[in-house]
Amino acid sequence: MREKKSSKIKKNSLFRRIFIPMCLLVSLIACFIVGIASYYDILGELDDNSRNLFDQQVSNRSHDLQTSMVSKWSNLDVEIDRINATTENLVKTNQISLEKLSHSSDDSQLLLKKVSGEVITLLRNHGTTGAYILLSDGQFTASDTQHYPGFYVMDNDPEGSYESGNSDLLLARCPVQLIDNLNIPTDTSWQPSFEFRQEDMNKYKELFQNFHLVLENPDFDIKDVGCWLQPYKLYNSENYRISYVLPLIYNQKIYGMIGIDISFAYLQKTLAYDELSNSGNGGYMLALQTKENTYQSMFLNGPYYSREIDQFSILNVSGENEVYINNSIYCSPHILKLYNSNTPYESQKWVLMGIIDKSELYGFTEHLMSVFYVVIAFIILIGAALSFVLARFIAEPVIDLARRISYSSKAVSHVNIEKTNIIEIDQLIQAIEKMSNDVLDSATRFTNIIRLANTNLAGFEVDFDKDELFLTDGFFDIFMMNHVDTKTMTPKEFKKLFQVFDNCASPTQNANEYIYHIQSQNENIYLRLRYTQNQHKYVGLVEEISDMIKERQVIEHERDHDVLTGLINRRAFQRKMKRLFSIDVQKLKIAALVMMDLDNLKSINDKYGHDCGDAYIKGAANIFKKFSPESTIVSRTSGDEFYLFYYGYDTKEDINEQLKILKQGIAQSILTLSNHKEVKVYLSGGIAWYPSDSTQFEELQRYSDYAMYSVKHSGKGEIAMFNVTDYENNSYIMKKRLDYYQLIDGRMIKYAFQPIIEMHTGNVFGYEALMRSTHPTLRDTQEIISLAKLELQLNKIETLTWQEALRAYAEYYRNGDVSSTQKIFINSISNQILPLFEIENLEKKYSDILGQVVLEVTEDEEHNKNCFEAKKEILTHWNAETALDDYGSGYNSNRNLLIVNPDYVKIDMDLIRDIDKDIDKQKIVENIVAYCHERNKKVIAEGVETYQELTVAFYLNIDYVQGFYFAKAEFVPPVPDENAVKALLELNDMKR
């Protein structure tokens, strides 16, 4: 224990406060030295010097190589002139023919015999390893191997002394007849002629095409088409060579080419790699740059790099100022300027590249860096040792004081410590003695403050290593354990007593935090424990949070429960189902999802008011809870829809028994509404079974929904089982029904406007608002109306019609796109009328255009007389008018005309279509017009699509026309077709 205390004193001792700054000072000095070296980049300068020396050596060598390749090896003007002169002489004396040189052995042998001396002289004068002449016109058209006459002589040691009789030379290509005359030995690769395979012909064909540029372009010199050939090997030879070739031209005709070669063995001597590095790890590489940072290796020397880099491989280099291969080999590339600009081979870039291992290039810098690091480390170690001695000397008296304080008794109320006669340390002793009294006073004050807090708080500190325990007064009172004596309690006793509450503790998401739920006879108490841990020492705070927890529970209950019925709402129901069908699947066993819908809620709301409707919903919910097992999940998902989920049963019969009890309870129950009226509960329901119908909750929802709506459409008042066969047979209807609800919920309806034209002026009298669906699959208007009838929701279509048609027209009216004299014709559903609040809302929003409304009656009004009379009263209040739509299309049209008594009569388009060809239609329309005009009603002809139909309608004295001839319906009120209006005005002029 004493050693542990001593260790802790050292950790926070004066020794550290002295030793660490001293070490930091020494480190700072070392960092300063390193910083100076870094700031002036001493090591970097050394690297730059090494790199610059290497680059300069490579640059010098590349200059020498370029000079040799351009000025020495490839300067063949004199030899070419002599060979051409010899050729000219032989041609003029009719000894040879240029056309026969490529194939005639006699002509070619004579020429080769005459010029062989010139080729040998070329070899000697230019110091190359080979010289040759090839006789060919460049017409490489054959598909098989071809042979061309030529002469090729080689010297493997151009720098050696000449042998008499040319015995130091070798013949690589030479006709048999010339060998004896020349008395030159043949090389192992000797052949009597040049053999060209298919791949050779493709290469040399392009070469000869460039030779022809000299003939075609007078600005071209023969050197402009000279070309350095990439490395090649003669057949049966092991040594690679590079070659330079020029064309032989006489009388504007190419009859061959002359060239020299430089063997790789000679390049090895010329490009001595050991000059780049004392260790011999450098090397030279002759390469062809194919694109930026990419090179085609051709020649490579140096023993190290012959193992690291493959000859004739593609090399990618990286870096900008410093270029590396594989990030480890430094390379210094220098482009050889071998060709003039604006020549065929201008873009061909030969490069001499010096290469050396990165560690070899910067070896001296790395060695110097190692020495530098050793020196810095030595400085730091010596400084740390001296700092240790100095800090120990200064801190020893303080360490002795700390030791004496640690041995003082804990039971005394005041600390008396022996003085050391060191002024600073004695002042510290006095401060410690004073602090002990202040700590006792502070602890007392803190306890008193906790007692005054609105929230019950209690704290503790327990150190199991020191066997120490501190508790605030009445610590266990917060745990409903009064009269617990904590004065003599040990840490072990505290832990044992605290473990009594383990069964009511639960961890939170925060580390080292627990919530305790303690139940007493009168109330539930919630406590939150937070603590920190340092090895075996714990400091904690306990806080009562009962009010916060209860408030949260209230919020969660309101979030998850329906306010009216107290049942869980849709969101909570979906959450419970998600857990059951994913995590707690084993609890489901046999289950049934029942969807209930109250049949007569709308009639109760309409008859008695919404308060009574709410009482009806609440009463139905109580019936579901009363006659369902406690484990059943009951939810109100919307206004009059409920879900009941029975689960955990062994057989379907068990659930059917419960459903039987529920049905009996519903049949026997009578609800008392808020107006003291007594009503029975009428509902329709659908049942889907788990797992026989489906194992997916979403499918069970659809199936129970389908079963329930099947009941509602077939008679109501029953609870039906889901029938998969019936569902599959009606899947199309179900899909359309889902599309319909998607359309209604998304308000996916817009209104297009088709102009109605005044017959005598050609002006736009008004626009008919025509419904258009924006739903991707449900587009037909009649189909939408049919689905609305099926779902008993024609009222929603009626409401949407008035809202959207007036909204769109009002926007165009207020923007000036339509005028105040132009009517808007709106189709209305005969047996539907807007609720009073909706009418008031329309009057508030669109009072400026309601006088322009013309209500079109589209159905049989005889069966909806009361509804129409109510509409008529609203229209009168608005100063609006009525129109009878599609007149003449039904058997009771005349009766409808008498009942509605409209301001406008719209003749059905079936009567207008092809009226110019049908005398009977003309007579019927004539009678309708005569009848309407006698009673001051205006007539509108629908569906006018041709000039002929317009002409007949005009002479039948119809007041207005509407149809594609003038304009189609568009979302922005369209302008009528100019030609159609012009034709109408011409009819008026003729009539006058």
Side-chain angles (χ1 to χ4, degrees):
M1 179 71 75
R2 184 177 300 171
E3 291 177 357
K4 183 174 284 189
K5 291 182 179 179
S6 176
S7 175
K8 291 186 178 180
I9 291 173
K10 289 180 182 178
K11 184 181 291 185
N12 299 287
S13 66
L14 181 63
F15 172 80
R16 288 186 65 201
R17 297 176 64 87
I18 298 173
F19 176 69
I20 292 176
M22 290 295 293
C23 290
L24 290 176
L25 178 61
V26 173
S27 301
L28 183 62
I29 294 172
C31 291
F32 177 75
I33 296 173
V34 174
I36 290 295
S38 300
Y39 179 79
Y40 290 102
D41 197 16
I42 296 173
L43 300 178
E45 291 290 339
L46 291 174
D47 285 345
D48 290 343
N49 290 337
S50 299
R51 191 168 56 252
N52 291 337
L53 288 173
F54 184 83
D55 292 344
Q56 186 60 45
Q57 179 62 43
V58 177
S59 177
N60 294 337
R61 181 56 64 188
S62 66
H63 180 267
D64 293 343
L65 180 61
Q66 176 178 306
T67 301
S68 296
M69 294 179 73
V70 174
S71 302
K72 180 181 178 182
W73 295 336
S74 60
N75 189 12
L76 310 179
D77 293 351
V78 174
E79 289 77 7
I80 290 176
D81 289 342
R82 291 175 181 173
I83 292 173
N84 284 336
T86 301
T87 303
E88 181 181 7
N89 181 53
L90 293 175
V91 171
K92 287 183 177 181
T93 58
N94 296 322
Q95 298 182 59
I96 64 171
S97 171
L98 291 181
E99 287 75 11
K100 297 180 180 180
L101 286 178
S102 299
H103 309 290
S104 172
S105 60
D106 293 336
D107 289 25
S108 62
Q109 286 181 21
L110 178 59
L111 178 59
L112 292 177
K113 180 179 179 181
K114 295 290 185 180
V115 300
S116 59
E118 293 295 343
V119 175
I120 294 172
T121 301
L122 183 153
L123 176 69
R124 298 291 195 189
N125 291 343
H126 292 276
T128 62
T129 58
Y132 57 89
I133 179 172
L134 169 69
L135 300 179
S136 173
D137 56 5
Q139 301 299 319
F140 304 108
T141 57
S143 59
D144 55 353
T145 301
Q146 297 291 314
H147 292 82
Y148 293 93
F151 179 75
Y152 198 145
V153 62
M154 297 188 302
D155 184 358
N156 291 330
D157 186 15
E159 297 178 357
S161 59
Y162 295 171
E163 295 291 337
S164 60
N166 296 326
S167 60
D168 59 327
L169 304 182
L170 294 173
L171 291 176
R173 298 291 181 269
C174 179
V176 176
Q177 294 81 357
L178 296 182
I179 293 178
D180 294 337
N181 295 334
L182 295 174
N183 198 26
I184 298 175
T186 59
D187 186 59
T188 56
S189 62
W190 171 83
Q191 287 185 354
S193 60
F194 286 88
E195 180 179 334
F196 276 56
R197 299 178 183 176
Q198 185 61 45
E199 57 270 22
D200 299 324
M201 286 188 280
N202 292 335
K203 179 172 65 176
Y204 281 91
K205 184 177 181 180
E206 181 181 356
L207 185 67
F208 272 82
Q209 287 177 352
N210 290 331
F211 285 168
H212 279 85
L213 294 176
V214 177
L215 306 177
E216 299 168 359
N217 191 338
D219 295 332
F220 267 59
D221 186 74
I222 189 171
K223 288 184 178 180
D224 291 335
V225 295
C227 174
W228 280 94
L229 301 180
Q230 296 183 31
Y232 65 90
K233 289 193 300 186
L234 293 173
Y235 297 119
N236 301 322
S237 174
E238 296 297 327
N239 192 14
Y240 279 98
R241 302 166 179 273
I242 59 174
S243 177
Y244 181 79
V245 295
L246 286 169
L248 292 173
I249 302 173
Y250 172 69
N251 197 22
Q252 293 298 305
K253 180 176 179 62
I254 297 174
Y255 65 91
M257 68 179 183
I258 188 170
I260 57 94
D261 75 36
I262 304 295
S263 68
F264 275 18
Y266 185 61
L267 284 177
Q268 292 278 3
K269 296 179 181 180
T270 304
L271 302 176
Y273 63 85
D274 53 0
E275 69 185 11
L276 295 175
S277 171
N278 294 331
S279 62
N281 286 335
Y284 283 109
M285 180 170 65
L286 189 61
L288 189 66
Q289 184 174 4
T290 57
K291 57 182 179 180
E292 187 176 1
N293 296 330
T294 304
Y295 297 89
Q296 168 72 56
S297 172
M298 295 189 296
F299 164 78
L300 186 68
N301 70 358
Y304 175 74
Y305 293 101
S306 63
R307 296 191 299 269
E308 295 294 322
I309 301 174
D310 294 333
Q311 192 164 252
F312 306 120
S313 60
I314 299 296
L315 299 177
N316 294 316
V317 302
S318 59
E320 296 180 2
N321 298 326
E322 301 178 26
V323 182
Y324 292 95
I325 301 174
N326 299 330
N327 295 321
S328 61
I329 300 175
Y330 175 78
C331 54
S332 176
H334 294 269
I335 297 177
L336 304 176
K337 184 171 179 57
L338 304 180
Y339 303 107
N340 294 327
S341 58
N342 299 321
T343 60
Y345 305 104
E346 175 188 9
S347 61
Q348 193 178 94
K349 297 181 180 179
W350 288 56
V351 178
L352 180 65
M353 185 180 297
I355 50 180
I356 189 170
D357 189 75
K358 185 177 180 181
S359 60
E360 177 76 17
L361 180 65
Y362 302 134
F364 177 74
T365 303
E366 293 177 356
H367 175 70
L368 186 61
M369 187 182 299
S370 300
V371 174
F372 181 74
Y373 286 153
V374 170
V375 172
I376 294 298
F378 180 76
I379 292 173
I380 292 175
L381 289 175
I382 294 298
L386 293 176
S387 300
F388 179 83
V389 173
L390 179 61
R392 187 70 182 176
F393 177 77
I394 296 174
E396 187 62 37
V398 180
I399 295 173
D400 182 65
L401 173 62
R403 189 180 299 113
R404 281 185 282 149
I405 293 175
S406 65
Y407 292 155
S408 61
S409 174
K410 302 176 185 176
V412 297
S413 57
H414 296 281
V415 178
N416 294 315
I417 305 172
E418 183 181 354
K419 303 299 186 286
T420 63
N421 295 323
I422 299 175
I423 295 174
E424 290 81 0
I425 297 178
D426 288 345
Q427 290 176 347
L428 176 62
I429 291 172
Q430 292 175 2
I432 292 172
E433 291 175 346
K434 181 178 183 300
M435 184 178 63
S436 64
N437 296 325
D438 293 341
V439 169
L440 292 174
D441 295 339
S442 297
T444 303
R445 287 196 295 268
F446 179 71
T447 301
N448 293 333
I449 290 172
I450 289 179
R451 289 171 180 168
L452 295 175
N454 290 330
T455 303
N456 288 334
L457 297 171
F460 69 88
E461 179 181 282
V462 57
D463 192 330
F464 290 102
D465 286 340
K466 295 182 179 180
D467 199 27
E468 293 178 349
L469 173 67
F470 169 79
L471 299 173
T472 57
D473 293 343
F475 178 83
F476 283 100
D477 293 348
I478 199 170
F479 287 91
M480 308 299 292
M481 296 178 65
N482 301 326
H483 311 297
V484 176
D485 185 10
T486 60
K487 294 182 179 179
T488 59
M489 183 177 289
T490 65
K492 291 183 179 179
E493 293 173 340
F494 173 76
K495 181 179 180 181
K496 183 177 180 181
L497 184 60
F498 215 83
Q499 287 176 343
V500 173
F501 302 100
D502 285 351
N503 61 339
C504 60
S506 57
T508 68
Q509 295 179 350
N510 300 324
N512 298 338
E513 181 176 298
Y514 289 84
I515 301 296
Y516 289 84
H517 180 200
I518 302 174
Q519 296 177 321
S520 66
Q521 295 180 352
N522 299 324
E523 59 180 334
N524 292 327
I525 296 175
Y526 294 90
L527 306 175
R528 177 168 58 199
L529 166 65
R530 295 174 178 170
Y531 69 91
T532 60
Q533 178 183 1
N534 184 6
Q535 294 183 350
H536 294 90
K537 182 178 180 180
Y538 297 83
V539 178
L541 179 69
V542 180
E543 175 187 8
E544 183 180 354
I545 56 172
S546 301
D547 292 340
M548 184 180 70
I549 293 294
K550 292 174 182 177
E551 182 179 350
R552 183 187 300 168
Q553 290 173 344
V554 171
I555 293 173
E556 290 177 351
H557 183 274
E558 292 177 352
R559 181 197 66 192
D560 294 339
H561 289 77
D562 179 50
V563 176
L564 178 62
T565 63
L567 299 176
I568 61 173
N569 56 27
R570 177 190 292 271
R571 181 171 60 180
F573 181 71
Q574 294 284 345
R575 188 169 63 250
K576 286 178 177 288
M577 293 300 101
K578 183 177 181 181
R579 181 177 182 85
L580 276 172
F581 280 79
S582 58
I583 300 175
D584 300 329
V585 179
Q586 70 279 1
K587 295 181 181 180
L588 291 174
K589 296 184 179 180
I590 301 298
L593 180 63
V594 184
M595 182 179 184
M596 297 289 193
D597 184 85
L598 302 180
D599 290 334
N600 54 344
L601 176 63
K602 185 177 185 303
S603 62
I604 290 176
N605 282 331
D606 294 343
K607 189 173 182 180
Y608 303 117
H610 286 277
D611 290 340
C612 292
D614 290 345
Y616 183 71
I617 293 172
K618 187 174 181 180
N622 292 334
I623 293 173
F624 296 147
K625 289 188 289 185
K626 180 179 179 181
F627 294 102
S628 299
E630 187 175 348
S631 62
T632 306
I633 301 175
V634 184
S635 170
R636 182 190 179 200
T637 58
S638 64
D640 56 355
E641 292 183 351
F642 296 83
Y643 275 122
L644 288 81
F645 188 65
Y646 296 82
Y647 70 98
Y649 293 86
D650 295 325
T651 64
K652 285 187 178 182
E653 287 70 21
D654 295 338
I655 298 179
N656 282 325
E657 286 297 323
Q658 297 298 331
L659 292 173
K660 185 176 180 181
I661 294 172
L662 177 62
K663 291 178 182 178
Q664 292 174 352
I666 294 171
Q668 297 171 3
S669 298
I670 296 178
L671 301 180
T672 302
L673 304 181
S674 56
N675 61 355
H676 305 294
K677 293 285 185 180
E678 293 184 345
V679 296
K680 289 184 66 63
V681 176
Y682 294 98
L683 53 81
S684 299
I687 304 172
W689 293 94
Y690 173 94
S692 58
D693 288 334
S694 177
T695 59
Q696 303 296 320
F697 172 66
E698 291 77 8
E699 288 186 347
L700 290 177
Q701 275 187 301
R702 291 200 302 271
Y703 294 166
S704 61
D705 179 76
Y706 174 77
M708 185 270 290
Y709 276 95
S710 296
V711 171
K712 290 184 74 71
H713 294 154
S714 63
K716 301 183 180 180
E718 294 293 335
I719 301 177
M721 302 291 180
F722 170 72
N723 186 309
V724 65
T725 303
D726 183 52
Y727 177 80
E728 291 175 351
N729 291 337
N730 290 277
S731 59
Y732 174 78
I733 297 176
M734 288 297 295
K735 175 64 172 64
K736 286 299 180 182
R737 178 175 167 270
L738 293 175
D739 291 344
Y740 167 77
Y741 277 103
Q742 186 181 28
L743 177 139
I744 293 299
D745 293 341
R747 302 179 70 89
M748 301 170 73
I749 289 177
K750 295 178 67 176
Y751 278 84
F753 299 93
Q754 187 175 35
I756 299 173
I757 309 300
E758 189 173 7
M759 189 69 84
H760 298 297
T761 64
N763 296 328
V764 177
F765 174 71
Y767 292 92
E768 180 180 359
L770 299 171
M771 180 191 294
R772 295 290 185 266
S773 168
T774 61
H775 191 278
T777 58
L778 190 59
R779 310 289 291 187
D780 185 72
T781 302
Q782 292 303 319
E783 188 176 16
I784 295 172
I785 298 296
S786 299
L787 287 169
K789 286 182 180 179
L790 183 64
E791 297 299 317
L792 303 178
Q793 290 194 349
L794 284 172
N795 60 320
K796 289 191 176 181
I797 299 296
E798 180 76 0
T799 301
L800 271 177
T801 296
W802 284 97
Q803 289 175 344
E804 295 300 319
L806 288 177
R807 181 195 61 76
Y809 198 78
E811 180 180 350
Y812 298 128
Y813 171 72
R814 292 163 186 171
N815 290 338
D817 296 325
V818 296
S819 68
S820 59
T821 60
Q822 293 172 339
K823 306 287 186 178
I824 173 173
F825 288 70
I826 300 177
N827 289 278
S828 175
I829 301 174
S830 63
N831 61 350
Q832 300 296 318
I833 187 170
L834 296 176
L836 181 59
F837 76 91
E838 186 63 43
I839 294 172
E840 293 175 350
N841 188 40
L842 294 177
E843 291 176 346
K844 184 183 300 183
K845 288 184 177 180
Y846 310 115
S847 59
D848 52 340
I849 64 170
L850 292 179
Q852 297 169 241
V853 170
V854 178
L855 177 70
E856 291 193 14
V857 179
T858 59
E859 294 189 1
D860 184 0
E861 291 296 329
E862 183 179 11
H863 299 93
N864 305 280
K865 189 172 183 179
N866 293 334
C867 188
F868 178 73
E869 291 298 330
K871 292 180 183 179
K872 194 83 170 180
E873 185 176 345
I874 296 170
L875 294 173
T876 301
H877 176 67
W878 290 353
N879 292 323
E881 298 174 303
T882 58
L884 182 60
D885 193 19
D886 298 335
Y887 183 76
S889 62
Y891 68 92
N892 55 355
S893 297
N894 293 331
R895 183 176 299 175
N896 289 337
L897 181 61
L898 295 174
I899 294 173
V900 175
N901 191 22
D903 299 290
Y904 303 92
V905 174
K906 301 186 74 174
I907 299 176
D908 185 71
M909 66 172 58
D910 285 341
L911 287 175
I912 301 300
R913 187 69 45 79
D914 296 328
I915 192 173
D916 55 303
K917 304 173 184 177
D918 194 327
I919 192 65
D920 294 330
K921 289 184 179 181
Q922 296 175 18
K923 191 63 178 177
I924 293 172
V925 172
E926 183 180 7
N927 293 335
I928 293 173
V929 172
Y931 174 83
C932 291
H933 284 176
E934 287 178 2
R935 289 158 179 78
N936 295 321
K937 302 181 188 303
K938 300 293 185 180
V939 180
I940 303 173
E942 293 185 296
V944 174
E945 296 185 357
T946 65
Y947 174 75
Q948 291 77 14
E949 292 172 353
L950 173 67
T951 304
V952 174
F954 178 82
Y955 285 107
L956 290 176
N957 293 322
I958 290 177
D959 301 287
Y960 308 100
V961 288
Q962 174 185 353
F964 286 178
Y965 183 65
F966 288 92
K968 294 182 179 180
E970 297 179 9
F971 291 120
V972 177
V975 176
D977 182 82
E978 293 182 359
N979 294 328
V981 173
K982 182 179 179 181
L984 178 60
L985 295 177
E986 289 175 352
L987 289 173
N988 279 279
D989 291 340
M990 288 187 291
K991 188 175 182 180
R992 295 191 189 97

